[in-house]
Amino acid sequence: MALLQSILSPSSLTRQPSINPNAGNPSLLNLFYKPHSVPQSRRFQRLSPLHCSASSFPEKHRAGPSKSDDVVELPLFPLPLVLFPGSVLPLQIFEFRYRIMMHTLLHTDLRFGVIYSDPESGTSGVGCVGEIVKHERLVDDRFFIICKGQERFRVTSIVRTKPYLVAEVNWLEDRPSGDEDLEGLANEVESCMKDVIRLSNRLNGKPEKEAHDLRRNLYPTPFSFFVGSTFEGAPREQQALLELEDTAARLKREKETLRNTLNYLSAASAVKDVFPSS
């Protein structure tokens, strides 16, 4: 198939950082951690910078069947970020093809697929539906939108590439975790998050206030997505978490990442105590 035009351009969108669904909680992976690599089987072919070929999406993926046999068509918006179920993503839409997409969505389903793409690892085959919950039409026909992450999906085939990408997708759901104690794992992850926040505040000269109720009555699966959404600055790690189809495995990986972050913060805090002016 013909090479798509640039999926993104520097002026095509602006993420609005002032609207943060997790206000008050730091971006945990702006801190250091021991990274995990994204399995090669979960990647597509490498792409030239900010370009995407329709052939980058195989007709059928080999990463395992979806838990649902439903196949639907979904417009896709490749972005250099990862959207999780339950997270809120504000965007400004500049580029013409995506303004067309917004006009269509606002008169139909209000849902589109956010899918992670970067020049090094390519375009991912697993993404998350973003449902428009608020929009404002700006001058020059630009749009400011706020969308909320819904279900995850896996791309199975490309329907068309112009004026924007449309694909057939299957929905993804986590498999049962067997005898795993999901509540216990979620509580351990929450405890690690609180420790990271406390030490991070200390290193940044902020009051070491106790972070209360980070779970906010969330069940383990949505909580695992919330934790992943706080790992801003590490989109490949976020993508790996999004692709996992086991809540226990996701929580365990998040706990390991948080513990590595905590180890770094503890060492940095000790150095600061010895060398206060450093």
Side-chain angles (χ1 to χ4, degrees), residues 4 6 22 48 57 70 133 137 171 173 176 191 196 212 228 262:
L4 280 170
S6 175
N22 305 321
S48 57
F57 298 90
D70 294 335
V133 296
R137 189 168 173 176
W171 305 124
E173 297 178 2
S191 178
V196 168
H212 297 287
L262 188 60

Side-chain angles (χ1 to χ4, degrees), residues 208-228:
E208 295 184 49
K209 295 182 179 180
E210 180 72 18
H212 297 287
D213 193 23
L214 296 177
R215 283 191 63 179
R216 298 170 297 174
N217 296 320
L218 291 174
Y219 289 108
T221 298
F223 178 65
S224 72
F225 291 136
F226 163 72
V227 175

Side-chain angles (χ1 to χ4, degrees), residues 165-180:
L165 198 61
V166 178
E168 286 189 344
V169 304
N170 283 329
W171 305 124
L172 290 185
E173 297 178 2
D174 277 7
R175 298 184 293 266
S177 296
D179 297 330
E180 294 281 0

Side-chain angles (χ1 to χ4, degrees), residues 47 53 71 75 81 104 115 157 171-172 218 223-224 242:
L47 307 178
S53 168
V71 177
L81 54 84
T104 302
I115 196 161
S157 65
W171 305 124
L172 290 185
L218 291 174
F223 178 65
S224 72
L242 186 75

Side-chain angles (χ1 to χ4, degrees), residues 115-222:
I115 196 161
Y116 174 65
S117 179
D118 75 18
E120 184 174 349
S121 59
T123 303
S124 300
V126 172
C128 180
V129 170
E131 182 176 14
I132 300 172
V133 296
K134 183 178 180 180
H135 74 279
E136 180 181 357
R137 189 168 173 176
L138 306 175
V139 296
D140 301 328
D141 204 32
R142 292 178 292 119
F143 285 91
F144 170 67
I145 68 169
I146 297 177
C147 60
K148 185 172 183 179
Q150 303 294 341
E151 55 268 85
R152 293 173 299 158
F153 62 85
R154 187 186 306 280
V155 174
T156 60
S157 65
I158 296 300
V159 175
R160 68 172 188 267
T161 62
K162 295 181 179 179
Y164 48 83
L165 198 61
V166 178
E168 286 189 344
V169 304
N170 283 329
W171 305 124
L172 290 185
E173 297 178 2
D174 277 7
R175 298 184 293 266
S177 296
D179 297 330
E180 294 281 0
D181 180 9
L182 295 182
E183 284 292 330
L185 280 171
N187 289 335
E188 290 177 21
V189 170
E190 181 185 30
S191 178
C192 287
M193 288 183 72
K194 290 179 178 179
D195 289 339
V196 168
I197 292 170
R198 176 179 53 80
L199 275 179
S200 177
N201 286 339
R202 181 184 180 189
L203 284 170
N204 289 300
K206 299 178 181 179
E208 295 184 49
K209 295 182 179 180
E210 180 72 18
H212 297 287
D213 193 23
L214 296 177
R215 283 191 63 179
R216 298 170 297 174
N217 296 320
L218 291 174
Y219 289 108
T221 298

Side-chain angles (χ1 to χ4, degrees), residues 106-117:
L106 292 175
H107 288 87
T108 55
D109 193 20
L110 298 179
R111 303 192 307 165
F112 62 100
V114 175
I115 196 161
Y116 174 65
S117 179

Side-chain angles (χ1 to χ4, degrees), residues 214-260:
L214 296 177
R215 283 191 63 179
R216 298 170 297 174
N217 296 320
L218 291 174
Y219 289 108
T221 298
F223 178 65
S224 72
F225 291 136
F226 163 72
V227 175
S229 73
T230 69
F231 290 4
E232 294 179 10
R236 294 185 196 174
E237 174 64 12
Q238 289 183 309
Q239 181 63 31
L241 292 170
L242 186 75
E243 293 185 10
L244 289 174
E245 296 178 55
D246 186 310
T247 300
R250 188 179 303 109
L251 288 169
K252 288 177 180 178
R253 182 162 179 158
E254 290 166 345
K255 183 173 71 171
E256 180 185 354
T257 295
L258 289 166
R259 283 182 171 174
N260 289 330

